[in-house]
Each structure stands twice: as C-alpha cells, then as structure tokens.
Amino acid sequence: MKLPNLNLPKTTPSTPIKVFCDASRTEDDFSVAGWAYTDHNGGFLEKAGCDLGIEPSSIRAEMEAMTRALKALDDYEEVQHVKVYTDCKPAYRNIDLETWSKQFDSISIKWIPREENTLADLIADNYLKPSPQAPK
C-alpha cells in the first residue's frame, strides 16, 4: 500500500505531533480517509488522505484512517511523540495503542467533538469528490 510522501518539517524528538483523523463514506460503502498533522501548538504541518475502498462499517473506516495516518509517519524517526485526535468514539475506544507504542516513545488518543475535527473532515470529503479530469 503506497502512502503519501509527506513533507513534514524537521522536529526535535521531544516535540509531539498532533494527528487529526477522519473518514467519509458514500451510500454504497466506498470510504476515504483524511488526516492532518500539526505541531504541538496547533500550527499546520501537512495533510494527506487516501481511498480506503469498500468499507462496510464507518467505525472500521475511522480506525483505518488512524492506521494510515500513523503508518505514514514510519519514515520519520524524529517523530517520537504522537497525539491522535478523532471524532469517532467507537474508533477511539478500539484502537490498539500497544501496537503503536512500539513505533513511538509516547502515543495517546483523544476523542474530540466533530466541530474540532473539521480540517480532517474536509480532507476526507475532498477525496470523495470526483476529479474534474475524471472521465464520465
């Protein structure tokens, strides 16, 4: 699975990265993910998203969005502290932080209201919209 090539600025290992994740689905269960990275003060660093394909559950789509956003950080050794934010309570409760604690020195996840996750939502929704160049 090819993940986006991110252009994260160099950070110090002690600086946490915030990851805001969201997923969107169509009525026929086609799902997309969107996420945004910010610095510990909320300054925008990078955004990305991808198609998830057919995902029968919105909870699974949200969990996959978090997984993809965290996997995209694999190549950034300087990213050691991660704070993940999602507006999906079931995904928040079911993500396996123990698995991710092997990749990062510290990782936490927090549920936030939808109104505080608008950037990730917009990124995901943008992946649902057909490209103007797409054949009809």
Side-chain angles (χ1 to χ4, degrees):
M1 149 183 56
K2 175 103 170 91
L3 292 171
N5 185 18
L6 301 174
N7 294 313
L8 289 177
K10 292 288 182 197
T11 60
T12 62
S14 63
T15 305
I17 296 288
K18 292 182 178 182
V19 184
F20 294 85
C21 305
D22 202 19
S24 294
R25 293 174 60 232
T26 63
E27 289 179 10
D28 57 354
D29 295 335
F30 181 78
S31 299
V32 296
W35 59 89
Y37 303 104
T38 70
D39 63 22
H40 64 285
N41 293 319
F44 177 78
L45 296 174
E46 186 64 84
K47 67 179 171 77
C50 64
D51 293 337
L52 298 176
I54 301 298
E55 198 62 71
S57 156
S58 59
I59 297 166
R60 286 182 44 96
E62 295 278 351
M63 290 180 68
E64 186 64 22
M66 284 189 276
T67 297
R68 302 271 181 117
L70 291 169
K71 279 185 179 180
L73 294 173
D74 275 349
D75 294 332
Y76 297 90
E77 292 177 12
E78 67 273 14
V79 177
Q80 292 299 314
H81 303 280
V82 178
K83 296 180 178 183
V84 181
Y85 298 87
T86 179
D87 59 17
C88 179
K89 282 186 181 180
Y92 155 78
R93 291 182 184 126
N94 288 301
I95 196 77
D96 182 8
L97 290 181
E98 187 173 322
T99 298
W100 294 107
S101 67
K102 295 171 186 158
Q103 180 178 345
F104 305 107
D105 287 347
S106 69
I107 183 167
S108 63
I109 185 167
K110 181 179 179 183
W111 174 83
I112 57 174
R114 181 175 295 258
E115 299 80 31
E116 294 178 29
N117 204 27
T118 55
L119 180 57
D121 182 58
L122 288 170
I123 296 165
D125 286 348
N126 191 53
Y127 275 83
L128 279 179
K129 295 181 175 45
S131 165
Q133 292 84 19
K136 297 185 180 190

